[in-house]
Each structure stands twice: as structure tokens, then as C-alpha cells.
Amino acid sequence: MKKDIVIPKVENVFLAAIQEWSDELMEKVWYVHLVNDSDFDLHSVMVVSKAFGTLDGEMKKTSLLRHAFVNVPSVSVVKIELLDQSVLLLNNEFMITYFIDNTLYDKKFTFRAQSITPDYVEEVPILFVDGVIVR
């Protein structure tokens, strides 16, 4: 029975952490963006995020954050959330679920602890700015 279940592969959809200036905080901060570099619109997009890891020998984890987007057009970017400076020391995990036509896709993306730094930036497709990408 398991062999009859087809799990579609997520392609050309990924996350990028991009550093931007915040007038509110008066400093540069990291925002996570969902990048749809595919030829298809994403429908009923759900994003669940959390951070977890060990700090000073103690296990830490944040509460779950949930975001929903009705539609993410093809070749577009949606800002998901601000990453607080304190969670950059932890693993930041994002579970993305969406539909293309009537097919459900889902994938877990993880920014490893301390990987969201200017040391790991590369050019983000569509936006053409520097950011940390996870595929």
C-alpha cells in the first residue's frame, strides 16, 4: 500500500533570510521570505515555524508561529516573519504546506544554528539581493 502513495517533490520553492533595515527597531534585522521561483501559483499556503537548540548547555525552544497565505503567485516572494536576534543562535525550522492545483506539497526547511549571518549570503533569485537560502 505504501508503494501506491505518491509524494510530490517540492521544486523551485525555498526560503531566504534577508537582512533589511527596520525603522521601528533602528537596526538591520533578518526577515524570512518564501520564494516561489516556479511556474505555478501556490494556493492555501501554511507556514509553521519554530526555533530550537541548546544554549549554555540548556535545551531551548520557542512557541510555534503560524502564517497563512491564500495565494503566492508564480515567480514571486512573500515576507513571512522577522527573526529576533536571540533565535539566530538556534535552529530555525519552517514547515511549508501548499497546493498546486489539487496536489498537496509540503517540506521542512531548516536554517541551522548560527547560519543566518553575512558569512553565508548568496544572491536570492527574483529579489536579486543577498540572503541566506535554504532549499
Side-chain angles (χ1 to χ4, degrees), residues 118-135:
D119 299 335
Y120 296 102
V121 298
E122 57 185 284
E123 187 175 75
V124 178
I126 301 173
L127 291 176
F128 303 107
V129 297
D130 288 341
V132 178
I133 296 174
V134 290
R135 297 183 190 271

Side-chain angles (χ1 to χ4, degrees), residues 52-75:
F52 61 92
T54 305
L55 282 177
D56 301 325
E58 187 178 334
M59 184 63 179
K60 301 279 187 184
K61 69 178 187 176
T62 65
S63 58
L64 294 177
L65 296 178
R66 294 172 180 86
H67 309 276
F69 305 97
V70 174
N71 186 47
V72 178
S74 63
V75 191

